[in-house]
Amino acid sequence: RSHLRDLAEGFQASDSADARIDLTDVEFLDSTGLSLVAAVLRTATARGGEVVVVSPRGIVARALELSGLAPLVVMEDVERP
């Protein structure tokens, strides 16, 4: 099981409206990962919330852009120590 899948399932089972997805250490995001981000986004939107995606880098950021998800989420860049 992936960390992203656990996050998505936990968020959907909660009452939270907002979600935060930390992609700082993620080097690749395939269609399954993009689907999970989309599922979290659908749930957050239905609850009147937003999704913050933290530190997507390189090909991960590009995958979010190409999928059309990038403009639908809040992209937050966090400096690495």
Side-chain angles (χ1 to χ4, degrees):
R1 291 183 57 90
S2 75
H3 172 72
L4 188 54
R5 182 176 304 280
D6 291 342
L7 182 143
E9 290 176 359
F11 175 69
Q12 290 176 342
S14 76
D15 293 330
S16 298
D18 298 321
R20 185 176 182 86
I21 302 173
D22 188 349
L23 298 179
T24 302
D25 295 322
V26 175
E27 296 178 3
F28 180 75
L29 195 63
D30 63 8
S31 60
T32 301
L34 290 169
S35 293
L36 291 170
V37 173
V40 170
L41 178 61
R42 279 192 301 275
T43 301
T45 301
R47 295 176 183 173
E50 67 180 7
V51 175
V52 176
V53 176
V54 180
S55 296
R57 307 232 186 271
I59 197 163
V60 173
R62 185 75 175 135
L64 290 167
E65 291 168 9
L66 291 173
S67 69
L69 290 170
L72 304 176
V73 299
V74 176
M75 303 284 258
E76 182 179 289
D77 192 31
V78 175
E79 292 294 321
R80 291 185 173 192

